[in-house]
Amino acid sequence: MKNKIIAILLCLTQITFAQNVDFTGYVRNYSGMLAGNGSNDFVILQNTFNLNIEKNMSGSSFKVNPIIYHNDSDSISFNLREAYLDLYFDSFDIRVGKQQIVWGKADGVFITDILSPKDLYEFLLPEFDEIRIGVTGAKLNYYMGGNTLELVWLPVFTPTNLPNSTSIWSPSMSFAMTPTFDYSKQDVKPSLENSELFLKYSALTEAIDFEIMGGYMWDDDPTVFSSIVTNSSGRNLFITPEHKRISLIGGSFSTTLGPFVFRGEGAYYFGKYFNTSDLTVNNGTVEKDYIHYMLGTDFNLLDINFSLQFIQKAVMDYEETIQSNVMFKDQYNNMMTFLARYSILNETLEFELFSYYDFEYDDALIRPRVLYDYSDTINLQIGANIFTGTEGQFGQYNNNDMLYGKIKYSF
Amino acid sequence: MKTLKISLILLAFFSLLNNSVFSQQLTGLKIIENVYNRAVGDDMTADLTMTLTNSSNENRVREIKQFSKDFGDLEKKIMFFVSPADVKNTSFMSWSYDEAGKDDDQWIYLPALKKTKRISSDSKSDYFMGSDFTYDDLGDRQPDQDVHKLLREEKLNGEDCYVVESIPKDKDYMYSKTITWIIKDKWIGLKKEFYDEDEELLKILKVNKYEDINGFWIITNTEMKNEQKDHKTIMILKNVKINTGINDDKFTERIMTRGI
């Protein structure tokens, strides 16, 4: 199968070369080693080939973006990150196919940016463009000067991709007794009734850029329904993951004031399922609305570019029976991000520090890295991922502190 | 992507160094004002190549396709990055206002992130794409931001020139002064010296070539050398087209994300 895929890719390449199709992409070597917790295992030994095949014609264009990952176990995974066709008209454009759709003004936080689900095979560590999974559907953009109305229809539901249970990035889950999992309800079949719909109105003006959006979708993360069944073997805990419908309205803005860029983004989610400690009611779940928003600023000080974001999630009509998880500890959940970036040597050498900090769990992910442009095509990178705390979405990976290096050849 | 915090007004840069005026008793201020106010076409399209050369004689090349249009009291520009590969399809748009004190509006589209980000235009002392040009070097530095003095008149490269010293009113500005050689009959800035905060020579700008395109003097080959770092940037403008009637819709997010 792997050989067939590569053969098809090579044939495609030969055909498209003959038709002035544009090829760009990169080849990357990525190695990561656990550090500081008694283990120096190489947990990442990965080679990546990413190819963008694009052609722009009058009134139309297409893009196909295959990506091949080769891992240390000599396994190869092939994926089409995007494969779509664009049709351009006077006042509107249509994009059909598998595509990544990015909304909102927040960086590294997903509030209204929920159309393309996340690939968490390596938690939040990949570059953000690699975290998003392409979704299959159609997008219509209608333009009125600097204003845009965007309608997205996704007939195929794509959930969050979670790491497998043996991965060091498998999220921690605790149960009162050893559970039995029932995955029979987890799939959402592609059908008209199961479609997702999103609408956005956006404007780019002198004073401010803003977006107003709404969506009727499936929760990308499955709700975990629990039930206790008593039979001859005793009491058994059954866990049934199931994706539930959720809808939201939201918006975002970005504006400048002197040297500062101010950004904000927020959404009101209707009907999110939370797990409770009372398994006798609705299989241990309760449906609540919640608010998720971000306020942030970007600025330059002493030639260093800074970016700060404060993020809050608040559960409406909160009940004490709601169980905490890594994303929701209690009614209010506060987090911040910090980014500092400094470059020298005519911007060939760059130092960066990016961090998430969760106020509720007092845990953090700290990511220093150094990037060097060895040439116009070769970029070298070394960095570290440092997890602090003992619980929460970052603290749960406290044993996964890591040093890594990347070599990337862009073409 | 770090190269792309941009406040570029490339085409205005060329107009800054090009001008024609009819006057007799010229002060330093008047000369610089004439350079600044010189009319250029209503719109312009061009391909820009920047070659960066370090002290080891290693070259890096950046290629850009750019469009600009004058909307009266507003000038809009859009640029598409062609190379190097890791920034290909990145685009930058700026809206510059004649209104005194009004900052430019600027946006950058990052294709890998599929995001159009509004950026601040405040950092005019930042270097553009790792070159030896700051955004201010490339842009419309208004004449009233400096005190100008006509030092002398002399020949440079066979051209009769005014030599004007400009000292910034803002004492914290990155240059303590600049000295510009301006061709008398064409009003082109042929050479410019930049002095750092310690009044040491920092950079020298030289015009290697200028052309008459559709009746406008256009500088098409410029070299900026940082004397202290022994690093230089050569900018070459090709396929310059003026007054082709660029559509107003060219300067929108739609075109930023779609590309050239």
Side-chain angles (χ1 to χ4, degrees):
Chain A
M1 184 60 190
K2 282 183 291 189
N3 292 338
K4 280 183 182 174
I5 291 168
I6 292 168
I8 291 168
L9 202 58
L10 289 173
C11 288
L12 181 68
T13 304
Q14 285 186 334
I15 293 166
T16 49
F17 257 127
Q19 298 183 13
N20 295 323
V21 175
D22 194 17
F23 289 84
T24 57
Y26 63 79
V27 176
R28 183 185 63 199
N29 176 268
Y30 175 20
S31 304
M33 181 187 78
L34 292 180
N37 292 293
S39 166
N40 293 322
D41 292 353
F42 285 101
V43 288
I44 299 171
L45 291 168
Q46 184 186 76
N47 298 298
T48 306
F49 177 54
N50 180 66
L51 182 64
N52 292 305
I53 308 167
E54 294 173 270
K55 184 172 175 66
N56 285 304
M57 299 151 279
S58 175
S60 63
S61 67
F62 72 75
K63 177 180 179 181
V64 181
N65 179 196
I67 188 164
I68 298 172
Y69 292 102
H70 168 250
N71 293 302
D72 58 322
S73 58
D74 221 19
S75 67
I76 286 181
S77 65
F78 172 86
N79 189 18
L80 273 183
R81 294 175 64 195
E82 293 189 293
Y84 60 75
L85 175 71
D86 281 325
L87 299 173
Y88 305 131
F89 301 90
D90 282 347
S91 57
F92 66 95
D93 300 335
I94 296 173
R95 175 170 292 176
V96 180
K98 187 174 183 181
Q99 52 194 296
Q100 292 187 13
I101 301 171
V102 180
W103 287 3
K105 306 293 184 190
D107 291 333
V109 184
F110 304 87
I111 300 172
T112 63
D113 183 16
I114 37 71
L115 284 79
S116 292
K118 298 184 282 293
D119 189 346
L120 299 178
Y121 77 99
E122 198 190 314
F123 188 47
L124 294 172
L125 302 185
E127 304 291 338
F128 284 120
D129 58 318
E130 285 185 72
I131 285 179
R132 291 192 182 83
I133 304 172
V135 286
T136 300
K139 179 165 73 79
L140 168 74
N141 285 69
Y142 180 73
Y143 302 98
M144 301 154 283
N147 305 323
T148 306
L149 192 64
E150 184 169 323
L151 175 66
V152 178
W153 173 54
L154 303 179
V156 181
F157 169 62
T158 310
T160 302
N161 185 28
L162 295 169
N164 63 47
S165 57
T166 59
S167 166
I168 62 170
W169 305 109
S170 178
S172 61
M173 299 173 77
S174 60
F175 300 100
M177 62 184 79
T178 304
T180 302
F181 284 90
D182 173 8
Y183 293 105
S184 63
K185 295 183 178 178
Q186 190 164 8
D187 290 342
V188 177
K189 290 187 172 58
S191 66
L192 188 62
E193 312 83 73
N194 287 341
S195 296
E196 295 179 296
L197 274 176
F198 302 88
L199 185 66
K200 181 181 78 169
Y201 172 76
S202 63
L204 187 147
T205 72
E206 289 181 18
I208 192 168
D209 306 338
F210 67 88
E211 299 178 358
I212 301 167
M213 60 81 69
Y216 179 62
M217 57 185 282
W218 293 97
D219 192 341
D220 288 340
D221 302 320
T223 301
V224 177
F225 290 96
S226 307
S227 57
I228 299 282
V229 176
T230 304
N231 54 25
S232 56
S233 61
R235 282 162 54 86
N236 295 294
L237 173 63
F238 284 87
I239 301 294
T240 310
E242 184 180 348
H243 290 281
K244 301 299 290 184
R245 280 289 190 182
I246 193 169
S247 52
L248 80 163
I249 55 170
S252 61
F253 73 90
S254 178
T255 187
T256 51
L257 185 63
F260 295 94
V261 176
F262 292 102
R263 296 180 282 116
E265 182 170 338
Y268 190 96
Y269 287 75
F270 300 90
K272 165 83 174 174
Y273 279 80
F274 292 87
N275 283 104
T276 67
S277 54
D278 185 359
L279 302 190
T280 62
V281 178
N282 199 23
N283 293 111
T285 65
V286 63
E287 198 175 347
K288 297 290 180 187
D289 298 347
Y290 79 98
I291 292 172
H292 192 186
Y293 71 90
M294 176 282 301
L295 293 171
T297 182
D298 310 322
F299 57 95
N300 182 286
L301 185 66
L302 302 174
D303 292 331
I304 303 172
N305 291 313
F306 291 96
S307 179
L308 294 167
Q309 297 182 125
F310 171 78
I311 304 107
Q312 184 176 67
K313 280 187 273 194
V315 181
M316 303 288 101
D317 190 24
Y318 188 77
E319 294 178 21
E320 292 302 323
T321 57
I322 292 177
Q323 286 187 320
S324 61
N325 60 37
V326 295
M327 304 301 288
F328 289 89
K329 186 175 185 184
D330 49 34
Q331 185 174 8
Y332 298 100
N333 300 270
N334 302 314
M335 195 175 80
M336 70 171 289
T337 68
F338 171 83
L339 171 68
R341 191 178 282 149
Y342 177 64
S343 63
I344 57 173
L345 299 178
N346 289 80
E347 299 186 354
T348 54
L349 182 60
E350 185 176 60
F351 302 88
E352 183 184 288
L353 176 64
F354 178 71
S355 180
Y356 292 98
Y357 175 70
D358 189 311
F359 291 92
E360 307 313 307
Y361 284 106
D362 190 24
D363 62 333
L365 167 59
I366 303 165
R367 307 192 69 190
R369 64 175 177 171
V370 179
L371 302 99
Y372 177 62
D373 285 337
Y374 176 73
S375 69
D376 276 345
T377 53
I378 297 176
N379 178 269
L380 311 175
Q381 184 184 147
I382 56 170
N385 303 313
I386 303 162
F387 294 89
T388 69
T390 55
E391 53 182 347
Q393 61 174 323
F394 310 112
Q396 66 179 323
Y397 300 123
N398 192 25
N399 291 324
N400 291 2
D401 290 352
M402 182 186 294
L403 298 173
Y404 67 87
K406 294 180 183 178
I407 305 172
K408 185 177 176 183
Y409 180 98
S410 300
F411 59 92
Chain B
M1 289 303 134
K2 69 273 183 188
T3 57
L4 301 172
K5 182 164 184 301
I6 299 169
S7 171
L8 180 64
I9 313 176
L10 279 176
L11 302 180
F13 160 67
F14 290 106
S15 72
L16 179 70
L17 299 177
N18 289 276
N19 212 330
S20 63
V21 71
F22 306 98
S23 56
Q24 294 81 37
Q25 295 297 324
L26 288 169
T27 62
L29 174 62
K30 185 66 180 171
I31 291 168
I32 297 297
E33 280 181 344
N34 290 336
V35 170
Y36 179 82
N37 291 323
R38 177 183 183 269
V40 292
D42 290 335
D43 64 54
M44 184 184 284
T45 305
D47 297 331
L48 172 72
T49 302
M50 285 199 307
T51 304
L52 285 57
T53 308
N54 65 14
S55 55
S56 305
N57 244 9
E58 296 164 333
N59 290 335
R60 293 169 192 263
V61 178
R62 280 91 179 87
E63 294 176 299
I64 295 165
K65 180 88 178 174
Q66 57 186 24
F67 304 84
S68 71
K69 185 166 184 173
D70 190 348
F71 289 78
D73 57 357
L74 165 65
E75 187 175 20
K76 294 183 178 180
K77 303 178 185 69
I78 191 165
M79 308 169 63
F80 300 95
F81 295 83
V82 179
S83 74
D86 63 343
V87 297
K88 186 169 184 179
N89 295 329
T90 298
S91 58
F92 166 77
M93 182 166 70
S94 75
W95 297 356
S96 304
Y97 304 93
D98 286 349
E99 184 182 331
K102 184 167 184 178
D103 290 335
D104 295 355
D105 291 313
Q106 298 180 340
W107 298 268
I108 187 164
Y109 172 68
L110 304 169
L113 297 178
K114 297 187 181 295
K115 244 181 184 179
T116 303
K117 292 177 74 83
R118 179 182 279 260
I119 57 176
S120 168
S121 62
D122 196 62
S123 303
K124 301 229 172 184
S125 298
D126 285 356
Y127 285 90
F128 169 62
M129 289 192 82
S131 75
D132 296 285
F133 292 86
T134 66
Y135 301 114
D136 230 2
D137 295 342
L138 295 163
D140 266 331
R141 183 166 174 84
Q142 295 187 335
D144 63 1
Q145 291 182 276
D146 303 311
V147 175
H148 307 280
K149 179 181 174 185
L150 176 58
L151 296 179
R152 59 187 180 273
E153 298 174 22
E154 66 182 28
K155 273 190 181 294
L156 178 66
N157 300 344
E159 305 270 13
D160 289 324
C161 292
Y162 294 112
V163 184
V164 178
E165 178 188 75
S166 304
I167 297 176
K169 293 176 181 173
D170 177 5
K171 298 303 176 194
D172 294 328
Y173 188 54
M174 66 179 301
Y175 305 129
S176 59
K177 70 175 179 183
T178 60
I179 298 176
T180 311
W181 282 254
I182 297 162
I183 302 174
K184 284 184 177 179
D185 58 343
K186 299 184 180 72
W187 299 95
I188 293 172
L190 195 58
K191 179 184 172 186
K192 190 169 186 175
E193 294 177 347
F194 301 79
Y195 292 81
D196 66 14
E197 292 166 325
D198 298 323
E199 301 195 7
E200 299 288 333
L201 179 62
L202 176 64
K203 299 190 296 188
I204 298 176
L205 173 74
K206 291 178 183 172
V207 170
N208 296 326
K209 186 179 179 183
Y210 55 87
E211 301 174 56
D212 183 341
I213 299 174
N214 287 17
F216 300 101
W217 285 114
I218 303 297
I219 296 171
T220 52
N221 186 319
T222 313
E223 176 184 318
M224 178 76 92
K225 183 171 183 187
N226 187 314
E227 298 291 331
Q228 296 181 4
K229 293 202 290 187
D230 194 20
H231 190 282
K232 72 177 180 183
T233 301
I234 293 178
M235 276 192 176
I236 296 175
L237 215 54
K238 289 181 181 170
N239 302 322
V240 180
K241 295 173 187 168
I242 296 176
N243 290 347
T244 56
I246 298 173
N247 195 314
D248 291 0
D249 290 341
K250 190 84 178 173
F251 307 93
T252 59
E253 186 180 9
R254 180 188 194 186
I255 301 301
M256 283 185 81
T257 56
R258 186 201 289 184
I260 302 170

